[in-house]
Coordinates of all heavy atoms in Angstrom, one line a residue:
I1 N 92.5 106.9 91.7 CA 93.1 106.2 90.6 C 94.0 107.1 89.7 O 95.1 106.8 89.3 CB 92.1 105.5 89.7 CG1 91.4 104.3 90.6 CG2 92.6 104.9 88.4 CD1 90.2 103.7 89.9
R2 N 93.4 108.3 89.4 CA 94.1 109.3 88.6 C 95.4 109.8 89.3 O 96.4 110.1 88.7 CB 93.2 110.5 88.3 CG 92.1 110.1 87.3 CD 91.4 111.3 86.7 NE 90.4 111.0 85.7 CZ 89.1 110.9 85.9 NH1 88.6 111.2 87.1 NH2 88.3 110.6 85.0
D3 N 95.4 109.8 90.7 CA 96.5 110.2 91.4 C 97.6 109.1 91.2 O 98.8 109.5 91.1 CB 96.2 110.3 92.9 CG 97.4 110.8 93.7 OD1 97.9 111.9 93.4 OD2 97.8 110.1 94.6
L4 N 97.3 107.9 91.1 CA 98.2 106.8 90.9 C 98.9 106.9 89.5 O 100.0 106.4 89.3 CB 97.6 105.4 91.0 CG 97.1 105.0 92.4 CD1 96.3 103.7 92.3 CD2 98.2 104.9 93.4
A5 N 98.2 107.6 88.6 CA 98.8 107.8 87.3 C 100.0 108.6 87.3 O 100.8 108.6 86.3 CB 97.7 108.4 86.3
A6 N 100.2 109.4 88.4 CA 101.5 110.2 88.5 C 102.7 109.3 88.7 O 103.8 109.8 88.6 CB 101.3 111.2 89.6
L7 N 102.5 108.1 89.1 CA 103.5 107.1 89.3 C 104.5 107.4 90.4 O 105.6 106.9 90.4 CB 104.3 106.8 88.0 CG 103.5 106.4 86.8 CD1 104.5 106.1 85.6 CD2 102.7 105.1 87.1
R8 N 104.0 108.2 91.4 CA 104.9 108.4 92.5 C 105.2 107.1 93.3 O 106.3 106.9 93.8 CB 104.3 109.4 93.5 CG 104.3 110.9 92.9 CD 103.7 111.9 93.9 NE 102.2 111.7 94.0 CZ 101.4 112.4 93.3 NH1 101.8 113.2 92.4 NH2 100.1 112.2 93.4
W9 N 104.2 106.2 93.3 CA 104.4 104.9 94.0 C 105.5 104.1 93.3 O 106.3 103.4 94.0 CB 103.1 104.1 93.9 CG 102.5 104.0 92.5 CD1 101.7 104.8 91.9 CD2 102.8 102.9 91.6 NE1 101.4 104.4 90.6 CE2 102.1 103.3 90.4 CE3 103.6 101.8 91.6 CZ2 102.1 102.4 89.3 CZ3 103.6 101.0 90.5 CH2 102.9 101.3 89.3
L10 N 105.7 104.2 92.0 CA 106.7 103.5 91.3 C 108.1 104.1 91.6 O 109.0 103.3 91.9 CB 106.5 103.7 89.7 CG 107.6 103.2 88.8 CD1 107.9 101.7 89.0 CD2 107.3 103.4 87.4
H11 N 108.2 105.4 91.7 CA 109.5 106.0 92.0 C 109.9 105.7 93.4 O 111.1 105.8 93.8 CB 109.5 107.5 91.6 CG 109.1 107.7 90.2 ND1 109.8 107.2 89.1 CD2 108.1 108.5 89.6 CE1 109.3 107.6 88.0 NE2 108.3 108.4 88.3
A12 N 108.9 105.5 94.3 CA 109.2 105.2 95.7 C 109.3 103.7 96.0 O 109.6 103.4 97.1 CB 108.1 105.8 96.6
G13 N 109.2 102.9 95.0 CA 109.3 101.5 95.2 C 108.1 100.9 96.0 O 108.2 99.9 96.6
E14 N 107.0 101.6 95.9 CA 105.8 101.1 96.6 C 104.9 100.3 95.7 O 105.1 100.2 94.5 CB 105.0 102.3 97.1 CG 105.8 103.1 98.1 CD 105.2 104.5 98.4 OE1 104.3 104.9 97.6 OE2 105.6 105.1 99.4
S15 N 103.8 99.6 96.3 CA 103.0 98.8 95.5 C 101.5 99.3 95.4 O 101.2 100.3 96.2 CB 103.0 97.4 96.1 OG 104.3 96.8 95.9
V16 N 100.7 98.7 94.6 CA 99.3 99.1 94.4 C 98.5 97.9 94.5 O 98.8 96.8 93.9 CB 99.1 99.8 93.0 CG1 97.6 100.1 92.8 CG2 99.9 101.1 92.9
I17 N 97.4 98.0 95.3 CA 96.5 96.9 95.5 C 95.1 97.4 95.0 O 94.6 98.3 95.6 CB 96.4 96.4 96.9 CG1 97.7 95.8 97.4 CG2 95.3 95.3 97.1 CD1 97.8 95.4 98.9
L18 N 94.6 96.7 94.0 CA 93.2 97.1 93.4 C 92.3 95.9 93.8 O 92.5 94.8 93.3 CB 93.3 97.2 91.9 CG 94.3 98.2 91.4 CD1 94.4 98.1 89.9 CD2 94.0 99.7 91.8
Y19 N 91.3 96.1 94.6 CA 90.5 95.0 95.1 C 89.0 95.4 95.0 O 88.7 96.6 95.1 CB 90.8 94.5 96.5 CG 90.5 95.5 97.6 CD1 89.4 95.4 98.4 CD2 91.4 96.6 97.9 CE1 89.1 96.2 99.4 CE2 91.1 97.4 98.9 CZ 90.0 97.3 99.7 OH 89.7 98.1 100.7
G20 N 88.2 94.5 94.8 CA 86.7 94.7 94.7 C 86.0 93.6 94.0 O 86.7 92.6 93.6
P21 N 84.7 93.7 93.7 CA 84.0 92.7 93.1 C 84.5 92.4 91.7 O 85.2 93.1 91.1 CB 82.5 93.3 93.0 CG 82.5 94.4 94.0 CD 83.9 94.9 94.0
V22 N 84.0 91.2 91.2 CA 84.3 90.8 89.8 C 83.8 91.8 88.8 O 82.7 92.3 88.9 CB 83.8 89.4 89.5 CG1 83.9 89.1 88.1 CG2 84.4 88.4 90.4
G23 N 84.6 92.1 87.8 CA 84.1 92.9 86.6 C 84.1 94.4 86.7 O 83.6 95.0 85.8
V24 N 84.7 95.0 87.8 CA 84.6 96.4 87.9 C 85.8 97.1 87.2 O 85.8 98.4 87.2 CB 84.6 96.9 89.4 CG1 83.3 96.4 90.1 CG2 85.8 96.3 90.1
G25 N 86.7 96.4 86.6 CA 87.7 97.0 85.8 C 89.1 97.0 86.5 O 90.0 97.8 86.1
K26 N 89.3 96.1 87.4 CA 90.6 96.1 88.1 C 91.7 95.8 87.2 O 92.8 96.4 87.2 CB 90.5 95.1 89.3 CG 89.5 95.4 90.3 CD 89.5 94.4 91.5 CE 89.2 93.0 91.1 NZ 87.8 92.8 90.7
S27 N 91.6 94.8 86.4 CA 92.6 94.4 85.4 C 92.9 95.5 84.4 O 94.1 95.7 84.0 CB 92.2 93.1 84.7 OG 92.1 92.0 85.6
H28 N 91.8 96.2 84.0 CA 92.0 97.3 83.0 C 92.9 98.4 83.7 O 93.9 98.8 83.1 CB 90.7 97.9 82.7 CG 90.7 99.0 81.7 ND1 90.1 98.9 80.4 CD2 91.3 100.2 81.7 CE1 90.4 100.0 79.8 NE2 91.1 100.9 80.6
I29 N 92.6 98.8 84.9 CA 93.3 99.8 85.6 C 94.8 99.4 85.8 O 95.7 100.1 85.6 CB 92.7 100.2 86.9 CG1 91.3 100.8 86.6 CG2 93.5 101.2 87.7 CD1 91.3 102.1 85.8
A30 N 94.9 98.1 86.2 CA 96.3 97.6 86.5 C 97.2 97.6 85.2 O 98.3 98.1 85.3 CB 96.2 96.1 87.0
Q31 N 96.6 97.2 84.1 CA 97.4 97.2 82.9 C 97.6 98.6 82.4 O 98.6 99.0 81.7 CB 96.7 96.4 81.8 CG 96.7 94.9 82.2 CD 96.0 94.0 81.2 OE1 96.5 93.4 80.3 NE2 94.7 93.8 81.5
A32 N 96.6 99.5 82.6 CA 96.8 100.9 82.2 C 97.9 101.6 83.0 O 98.7 102.3 82.5 CB 95.5 101.7 82.4
L33 N 98.0 101.3 84.3 CA 99.1 101.8 85.1 C 100.4 101.2 84.6 O 101.5 101.9 84.6 CB 98.9 101.5 86.6 CG 97.7 102.2 87.3 CD1 97.6 101.7 88.7 CD2 98.0 103.7 87.3
G34 N 100.4 99.9 84.2 CA 101.6 99.3 83.7 C 102.1 100.0 82.4 O 103.3 100.2 82.2
L35 N 101.1 100.3 81.6 CA 101.5 101.0 80.3 C 102.1 102.4 80.6 O 103.0 102.8 79.9 CB 100.3 101.1 79.4 CG 100.5 101.8 78.0 CD1 101.5 100.9 77.2 CD2 99.2 101.9 77.3
L36 N 101.5 103.1 81.6 CA 102.1 104.4 82.0 C 103.5 104.2 82.4 O 104.4 105.1 82.1 CB 101.2 105.0 83.1 CG 99.9 105.6 82.6 CD1 99.1 106.1 83.9 CD2 100.1 106.8 81.7
A37 N 103.8 103.2 83.2 CA 105.2 102.9 83.7 C 106.1 102.6 82.5 O 107.2 103.1 82.5 CB 105.2 101.7 84.6

C-alpha cells in the first residue's frame, strides 16, 4: 500500500484494485490514494 503512495500507477495510466472483507479500510485507502493524486 505504501508503494502505491508513490503514484507510479497513476503516471503509467494503470489501475488499483483493493479487495477483501467488509470493514478492513478499503475505502479509506482508496480515498487516501485519491488525495495523494
Side-chain angles (χ1 to χ4, degrees):
I1 292 171
R2 290 194 176 101
D3 185 61
L4 291 175
L7 302 184
R8 287 183 288 269
W9 53 271
L10 171 61
H11 303 305
E14 298 166 343
S15 296
V16 175
I17 297 174
L18 307 170
Y19 69 99
V22 171
V24 293
K26 299 185 296 294
S27 296
H28 181 118
I29 297 299
Q31 291 176 95
L33 291 175
L35 184 60
L36 287 174

